[in-house]
Amino acid sequence: MMEDSKKHYVDNTSQSSSAGLTIRQKEPKNLEAPFDWIDSYLTPTELFYIRSHFPTPTLEGASYQLRVDGAVRHPFTLSYDELRSMPSETRVATLECAGNSRVFLVPQVQGAQWELGAVSNAEWTGVPLRTLLERAGMEEDVCEILLEAADRGTPKEEPVPPDPICYAWSLPRAKAIQQEVLIAYQMNGRDLPRDHGYPVRAIVPGHYGMASVKWLTRIQAVREPFHGYWQTSDYAYWASMEGNPVRRSLGEMQLKSEIARPRVYETLAPNRIYTISGAAWAGETDVAEIAVSTDGGRTWTEAEFVDPVRRHAWRRWKLDWLTPNEPGQYTLLARAKDVSGVLQPNEHDRHYGVYVINHPLPIEVFIGDSGRQ
Ligand SMILES: Nc1nc2c(c(=O)[nH]1)N[C@H]1C(S)=C(S)[C@@H](COP(=O)(O)O)O[C@H]1N2
Ligand SMILES: [Mo]
C-alpha cells in the first residue's frame, strides 16, 4: 500500500521544485512547507510546516513529566521513559493549520499570510490518549479533556489576557476517547524535533492543527467546558444557536484539495502533456473524488488518485493535461468530493473569519508562446 511512497510520481523532470521551508514569521517560528514538493506521501520531517505561538520551550526528556489528573479517580504522573515503554500505536495523520491558504482571501485579512503549505502529512507514534484516561479512571461527568503545554507568553490579539498564558486546548470527550488520538513522541520514526513538540505532543487526527498540542505537560479531565483564550478568541467561529450567533471552537478539518503543480504564475509550454498534481484531505470523512478545471470552473475533469483512502491522511492525485495551443492566462481549480457526495464549498464561509479556507483555490498559470519556447 505504501510501496510508491518514496517514488517520484511526477515524471516530467522540468517540473522541478524548490525544497525548503518559507519563513512567514521568524520568532515565534512560523514556517511554511513547500507544497509543490509532494513527491512523497509522508512529508519529510525537515519540510513539515511549523506553527508556534510562543518561543519554543526547552524541555528535556530526562526530567520530563506528564501529569494526568482532574476529574479522575487515580491521578498519576509519567516520565518520558515510562510513556515510551507503554504499548504504542503508529498512524499517519495530516495536520493542517486552520489558517492555511489565508493569502487567498480577498480582501486581505490579518494573520500569517499562509499560502498552500500550512499542511503536511506524517506518521506519528505514541500511546492512545484513551489508554491514559482509562488508567486514570475518568469520572462519568467529564465533558472535555484539557491538554496543557509548556510554552508561555502573552498573545498579541485582543482581548489580551492580563498575565502570560500557556498554550492549551480542550477536546470534547467523545473525540478524546477515540483510539486515533495519540500522545506522541515520534514523527516519521524518530524522536520529535523540538519545533514539533519534543519530547511529547498530542496528535488529534481529523482536527485542525491547533488541537495537536505540542510540548504537552498536563492532561486534565474537566467537568465544565473550557473557554480558554485559544479556543474562544482565536481558533473559533460563529455558529448559530436558536437563531443567535455563538462562538464555538474550531474542530474537524473541512474537505479541501490543493494544486501543488503547476505553481501560481508558472509558465507552461503550449500543446504538451503537463501532469497537474495535488493532494486532498478531510476531517472525519474520506475523500472520494477530485475534479480539476483548467478554465476557471466552467468545465471539470476527474483526476486520478495516487494514494489509497486512509482516514485522516491526505490522498495525492494527478491529471494529465494537454495544454492549450492558445497562449495566455488560465485559471486552474481542484475540487474534492467526499464519500457522502458533499463537495468543497464554492466560496469561503465568512462565519469562519480568517480560518477554514477550503473553497477551490484559483491557481493562475500562463501558457507560453510556442515561438518563444
Ligand atoms: N504548545 C503548543 N502547541 C501547538 C501550538 C503552539 O503554538 N503551542 N500551535 C498549534 C497549531 S495552531 C498548529 S497548526 C500545530 C502545528 O504543528 P507543527 O508545528 O508540528 O506543524 O501545532 C499546534 N500545537
Ligand atoms: Mo494552526
Side-chain angles (χ1 to χ4, degrees):
M1 182 155 141
M2 294 278 300
E3 220 111 273
D4 71 349
S5 71
K6 291 215 172 59
K7 206 165 74 188
H8 290 223
Y9 71 84
V10 179
D11 39 9
N12 184 343
T13 46
S14 72
Q15 293 172 233
S16 65
S17 75
S18 56
L21 296 165
T22 304
I23 298 173
R24 294 275 165 244
Q25 190 181 356
K26 201 150 191 226
E27 192 57 53
K29 273 190 204 161
N30 286 292
L31 291 97
E32 178 154 350
F35 188 71
D36 59 346
W37 198 92
I38 52 164
D39 300 15
S40 69
Y41 177 60
L42 299 179
T43 309
T45 301
E46 63 279 9
L47 295 182
F48 200 101
Y49 82 97
I50 297 171
R51 184 13 172 171
S52 297
H53 293 87
F54 296 134
T56 303
T58 333
L59 297 181
E60 298 306 334
S63 55
Y64 175 79
Q65 302 247 289
L66 176 62
R67 181 85 190 142
V68 183
D69 63 3
V72 299
R73 286 181 288 280
H74 319 288
F76 61 90
T77 302
L78 283 178
S79 71
Y80 186 47
D81 286 344
E82 284 167 331
L83 183 74
R84 290 172 70 108
S85 66
M86 293 177 71
S88 70
E89 286 198 13
T90 296
R91 44 179 86 232
V92 177
T94 297
L95 293 195
E96 182 189 15
C97 182
N100 187 32
S101 316
R102 187 172 288 147
V103 77
F104 286 88
L105 293 182
V106 181
Q108 196 188 7
V109 295
Q110 296 238 313
Q113 296 299 306
W114 300 111
E115 295 180 7
L116 299 169
V119 60
S120 302
N121 190 49
E123 190 176 71
W124 311 92
T125 302
V127 176
L129 171 57
R130 184 197 176 99
T131 308
L132 300 182
L133 295 174
E134 276 168 2
R135 173 158 159 194
M138 184 165 50
E139 300 288 359
E140 290 306 308
D141 55 351
V142 164
C143 72
E144 289 181 354
I145 301 300
L146 178 56
L147 305 170
E148 298 176 39
D151 50 331
R152 275 177 85 75
T154 301
K156 300 273 174 299
E157 312 274 323
E158 294 289 346
V160 176
D163 298 310
I165 59 170
C166 288
Y167 189 84
W169 187 266
S170 71
L171 291 179
R173 177 191 180 118
K175 179 65 180 179
I177 60 172
Q178 297 304 311
Q179 191 70 14
E180 71 260 15
V181 178
L182 296 181
I183 301 307
Y185 47 82
Q186 284 198 334
M187 175 178 185
N188 293 335
R190 292 173 167 253
D191 293 351
L192 288 172
R194 240 173 239 295
D195 288 324
H196 293 294
Y198 177 84
V200 174
R201 75 177 300 172
I203 288 294
V204 183
H207 280 209
Y208 281 112
M210 76 273 138
S212 291
V213 176
K214 305 191 275 189
W215 312 295
L216 182 70
T217 50
R218 186 178 181 199
I219 298 168
Q220 201 190 152
V222 294
R223 293 188 166 98
E224 304 271 321
F226 174 72
H227 297 297
Y229 175 84
W230 303 103
Q231 62 203 82
T232 55
S233 286
D234 197 350
Y235 293 101
Y237 68 104
W238 292 106
S240 171
M241 192 178 161
E242 311 291 346
N244 295 304
V246 289
R247 281 304 261 178
R248 290 245 173 86
S249 312
L250 288 175
E252 49 185 270
M253 292 192 286
Q254 301 296 308
L255 180 68
K256 181 165 175 178
S257 56
E258 288 187 358
I259 295 173
R261 297 190 197 170
R263 305 180 200 88
V264 177
Y265 293 151
E266 195 167 332
T267 298
L268 312 177
N271 199 30
R272 297 259 186 90
I273 298 290
Y274 181 95
T275 307
I276 302 174
S277 62
W281 57 91
E284 308 289 6
T285 180
D286 296 322
V287 179
E289 228 176 86
I290 297 293
V292 173
S293 174
T294 55
D295 55 12
R298 278 196 314 119
T299 60
W300 297 86
T301 309
E302 201 175 319
E304 160 191 354
F305 284 105
V306 177
D307 304 310
V309 173
R310 184 185 273 173
R311 179 61 58 91
H312 305 134
W314 71 20
R315 293 183 82 181
R316 292 169 304 153
W317 53 262
K318 61 177 181 169
L319 174 70
D320 283 342
W321 178 34
L322 175 60
T323 59
N325 267 319
E326 190 67 27
Q329 189 172 341
Y330 291 79
T331 304
L332 273 47
L333 297 162
R335 188 177 66 188
K337 189 190 264 184
D338 74 13
V339 275
S340 31
V342 176
L343 291 172
Q344 284 180 242
N346 287 326
E347 282 172 20
H348 176 241
D349 182 342
R350 288 164 41 252
H351 294 92
Y352 288 120
V354 300
Y355 293 116
V356 190
I357 300 120
N358 75 322
H359 59 290
L361 306 171
I363 302 297
E364 311 285 345
V365 299
F366 298 101
I367 297 299
D369 189 330
S370 56
R372 285 185 293 144
Q373 291 299 308

